Amino acid sequence: MNKIFIVALSLVIGSSILTASAAEEVEIRASGVLYAPSGAAATGSEESGLDDVEWDSGQGLELQGIYWVDKSQWGIGATIGTASWDIKDYADVKYNPTVQINQVNVLEGDADLLIFGISAFRKLTNNDPGTSKFNADAELGLRYISVDSGIEGGYGEEYSDALLVALQTLEIDDSIVGVIGLTGDYAIDNNLSIFANASIQIDLDKGSVDNVLSIGTFEAGEVEFMSLYGKAGISYVF
């Protein structure tokens, strides 16, 4: 799957939404996001000596533009967002019988995410403020996630007469996830609403992870961004 294509398509759709806003209904949504991850920042490998380095939690901000097709329940949208995901503090000691030493790995920190996306939307209600102030829609989309990792720690080898210590960091490649979501909103007036969203994101193209030490670089599996998440914010219709 071409990750550059996803980013380019997101920008094209975003530009199209802004261009169409003068003539058609365009909705802008701004929200805070809370993530409940169920995957790992690194799935680990024998080469790196790491097991699963699990995500703990995440939070972020998101801006979304939706172009609702005239006289239709369907819409297309583009998303940009930022987030910070923390890992569970990782500490592991393994005995290596081949060389008869204890190998120690310690990691902590977080990763900053830059998120671009495209989505299709389907209104589940008539969205007529004169009929009901409550409305809902469903979303199916893709997200490209660019990662700036701040996950780091130390590696140690304990010998009978010496201790070797090295710094280590995780370098995480970009990924693509699929998104399924449901949004409900309450109209304050004809243009302004407040909304809440519940979504799930599923890994489609997992980025690789390298464990970079001062003594060398080792492959450490893949990154997983599988997560439930919720959003709440305001929306404005032009």
Side-chain angles (χ1 to χ4, degrees):
M1 187 178 295
N2 193 325
K3 297 178 182 178
I4 296 177
F5 173 75
I6 297 295
V7 176
L9 188 57
S10 299
L11 294 175
V12 169
I13 291 178
S15 299
S16 300
I17 289 171
L18 292 176
T19 302
S21 62
E24 302 291 352
E25 183 176 271
V26 172
E27 182 179 358
I28 302 297
R29 294 176 178 175
S31 61
V33 189
L34 291 177
Y35 296 90
S38 58
T43 55
S45 69
E46 184 176 351
E47 178 185 348
S48 67
L50 296 174
D51 297 324
D52 283 356
V53 181
E54 297 179 342
W55 293 114
D56 184 25
S57 61
Q59 56 280 322
L61 299 171
E62 185 178 279
L63 184 65
Q64 197 166 51
I66 307 170
Y67 167 62
W68 292 105
V69 180
D70 190 30
K71 298 179 181 180
S72 169
Q73 296 291 91
W74 292 94
I76 55 173
T79 299
I80 185 169
T82 61
S84 177
W85 282 33
D86 302 304
I87 66 165
K88 297 178 181 177
D89 289 350
Y90 180 89
D92 180 63
V93 179
K94 289 186 173 70
Y95 178 71
N96 188 329
T98 304
V99 291
Q100 297 184 337
I101 62 171
N102 287 321
Q103 296 174 309
V104 182
N105 281 287
V106 177
L107 289 165
E108 61 182 8
D110 56 28
D112 293 327
L113 313 181
L114 183 60
I115 304 165
F116 301 93
I118 53 176
S119 298
F121 296 85
R122 177 66 163 83
K123 293 179 181 179
L124 303 179
T125 55
N126 61 20
N127 285 63
D128 181 1
T131 304
S132 174
K133 289 183 176 292
F134 294 96
N135 295 287
D137 60 77
E139 175 186 5
L140 180 66
L142 295 173
R143 299 289 186 269
Y144 172 88
I145 302 176
S146 177
V147 185
D148 181 13
S149 175
I151 301 170
E152 57 188 17
Y155 168 77
E157 293 181 354
E158 184 181 4
Y159 298 85
S160 59
D161 58 352
L163 178 65
L164 170 66
V165 178
L167 299 177
Q168 64 178 337
T169 61
L170 294 186
E171 292 187 353
I172 302 174
D173 284 346
D174 301 345
S175 300
I176 293 176
V177 298
V179 170
I180 302 172
L182 182 65
T183 298
D185 68 73
Y186 177 81
I188 297 174
D189 58 32
N190 288 343
N191 301 101
L192 184 66
S193 298
I194 56 175
F195 73 89
N197 168 282
S199 297
I200 183 172
Q201 63 183 35
I202 303 167
D203 293 298
L204 298 179
D205 187 3
K206 299 179 182 180
S208 60
V209 181
D210 287 330
N211 188 24
V212 181
L213 286 78
S214 52
I215 58 173
T217 298
F218 305 93
E219 184 274 329
E222 298 175 317
V223 61
E224 298 173 326
F225 285 109
M226 176 79 173
S227 178
L228 297 173
Y229 65 91
K231 301 186 292 185
I234 61 173
S235 67
Y236 192 87
V237 176
F238 295 89

